[in-house]
Amino acid sequence: MKDSKIIDFFKNIFRVKVFWFTGFLAGWNGSRKLNKWVKKNKKQQDPNLHPFEERVQYHRKKMRGIIKRAGIKVEVEGEENLPRGGGAWIVPNHTSNFDGVILSVAISNKLNLVPIAKEELKTSKLTSGYFNGVDGMFLDRKSPRKALALLEGAAQYAKQKNRAVVIFPEGERSLTGELLEFKNGLFRFPQKYFLPIVPITILGTLEARKVFSLRTRTVKVIINKTIKPINHSKLPTELIGRRIKEQMQKDIDNWTSKLSPKELKRHQKIVEKSKIKMMKRKIRQEKSK
């Protein structure tokens, strides 16, 4: 057992060095390639030059590479709860920039995921291609009117193209892992277009976001039961949001209760540091107003 830990330690030292030297370059190159494919399709006005399926396959391959370099293992529970074909409205919790990557690795082989990201990522050379390559959409949070129009278009697109739109109901990352207030208005759109809502709880990403850690970390993805359109179409959006949030909290509490004393201590330490970071972020936001 001790020898196994020593071997694992040296493997992670090698992994961190590889990540440091090649991770950024590989990520940038993948984003650049996907952007190039999308631009070529538009220029030639022929989406079959680099079809959606080809871009999704390449995207999935790059996401798996990122997870491997970061030393993260992904465990998936509840795959049987995913809808079979057709459009869907995927709503996960959000604690790390790795959440989208982890979702892609966990379920993109089952559903064609289309992410909704913040507008700021549109100009990032490191990430923009990964959104553009899979027809991702960018949400302008400063303009409610534009945001509503985009969500309307996203739901319509999901219905017409049989795609699974991914949107975080918290609206932003929770640095501490505690669930933030849900933006319940986003549930109006799957109601209008009769789309199933798939709640997903991602666990362990507070630890996983430390990409240069010398530990191999495990992230668990729990796919909760799909809420079928016939069961949510006439419900108040606040009730839908509350039920999903309660289920996510139950998953979080259950996961935390199963941590070993050592793991729990490590987790609590990360949470405390994150709370300080979150407070500083709020102070900066208030000063900028």
Side-chain angles (χ1 to χ4, degrees):
M1 185 71 177
K2 190 175 181 180
D3 290 341
S4 176
K5 287 184 178 180
I6 292 172
I7 292 170
D8 193 49
F9 176 76
F10 281 106
K11 278 184 178 179
N12 279 317
I13 288 178
F14 177 76
R15 173 186 59 77
V16 167
K17 285 184 177 182
V18 170
F19 188 94
W20 179 265
F21 286 110
T22 68
F24 178 84
L25 182 61
W28 179 82
N29 185 57
S31 178
R32 179 174 172 271
K33 187 172 183 176
L34 284 166
N35 269 330
K36 195 174 180 180
W37 284 357
V38 171
K39 286 177 182 178
K40 191 175 181 181
N41 284 1
K42 287 181 179 179
K43 187 177 181 180
Q44 300 295 328
Q45 295 185 345
D46 183 2
N48 293 317
L49 285 174
H50 295 287
F52 181 79
E53 291 74 17
E54 179 187 3
R55 288 179 274 127
V56 166
Q57 188 175 3
Y58 180 75
H59 181 279
R60 188 183 301 129
K61 178 183 176 182
K62 297 300 290 186
M63 295 301 102
R64 284 174 178 163
I66 290 170
I67 288 296
K68 187 176 180 180
R69 283 189 178 92
I72 299 170
K73 292 181 179 179
V74 179
E75 294 180 354
V76 184
E77 179 183 312
E79 275 193 14
E80 68 279 3
N81 292 324
L82 288 171
R84 297 182 180 179
W89 203 251
I90 311 291
V91 286
N93 61 318
H94 195 21
T95 60
S96 167
N97 287 329
F98 268 115
D99 290 337
V101 181
I102 288 161
L103 275 180
S104 180
V105 171
I107 64 172
S108 66
N109 62 327
K110 302 290 183 182
L111 296 172
N112 290 323
L113 302 181
V114 177
I116 294 180
K118 58 185 179 181
E119 184 79 15
E120 293 83 348
L121 293 175
K122 191 175 184 177
T123 55
S124 170
K125 290 183 179 180
L126 184 60
T127 61
S128 62
Y130 294 115
F131 292 103
N132 292 328
V134 292
D135 294 352
M137 305 174 191
F138 298 95
L139 187 71
D140 187 353
R141 295 183 293 186
K142 295 177 182 178
S143 173
R145 188 171 63 179
K146 287 182 180 179
L148 289 173
L150 182 132
L151 291 172
E152 178 88 23
Q156 193 172 14
Y157 172 87
K159 189 71 174 180
Q160 291 175 349
K161 299 287 187 178
N162 293 329
R163 307 274 161 79
V165 169
V166 179
I167 183 165
F168 297 107
E170 294 166 276
E172 61 179 336
R173 281 182 300 142
S174 168
L175 298 180
T176 64
E178 296 173 357
L179 293 173
L180 303 177
E181 184 180 350
F182 276 22
K183 313 296 182 185
N184 292 318
L186 63 85
F187 296 115
R188 287 164 38 198
F189 304 98
Q191 285 184 318
K192 182 176 179 180
Y193 290 92
F194 222 58
L195 292 167
I197 300 171
V198 186
I200 294 179
T201 311
I202 308 173
L203 304 161
T205 48
L206 280 180
E207 291 79 2
R209 67 190 184 191
K210 292 190 173 185
V211 295
F212 299 119
S213 172
L214 294 179
R215 296 187 187 93
T216 300
R217 288 134 299 141
T218 299
V219 171
K220 189 171 185 178
V221 176
I222 299 178
I223 304 163
N224 290 297
K225 287 186 178 180
T226 293
I227 308 173
K228 296 179 181 179
I230 197 169
N231 294 328
H232 71 62
S233 60
K234 294 182 180 180
L235 293 178
T237 56
E238 292 79 9
L239 180 59
I240 297 171
R242 186 168 72 246
R243 286 180 178 177
I244 291 173
K245 191 174 182 180
E246 286 173 354
Q247 180 59 56
M248 286 181 178
Q249 189 61 58
K250 184 179 177 181
D251 292 337
I252 292 168
D253 293 341
N254 186 46
W255 176 79
T256 306
S257 69
K258 292 179 180 178
L259 294 175
S260 68
K262 190 175 180 179
E263 289 172 332
L264 184 59
K265 186 178 180 180
R266 190 183 300 134
H267 177 73
Q268 289 172 339
K269 189 176 180 180
I270 293 171
V271 169
E272 289 304 314
K273 285 184 178 180
S274 298
K275 283 181 178 179
I276 294 170
K277 190 175 179 180
M278 204 166 187
M279 285 176 63
K280 288 180 178 179
R281 186 173 73 174
K282 285 183 179 179
I283 291 170
R284 287 198 301 270
Q285 289 175 344
E286 289 174 1
K287 285 182 177 179
S288 65
K289 289 180 181 180

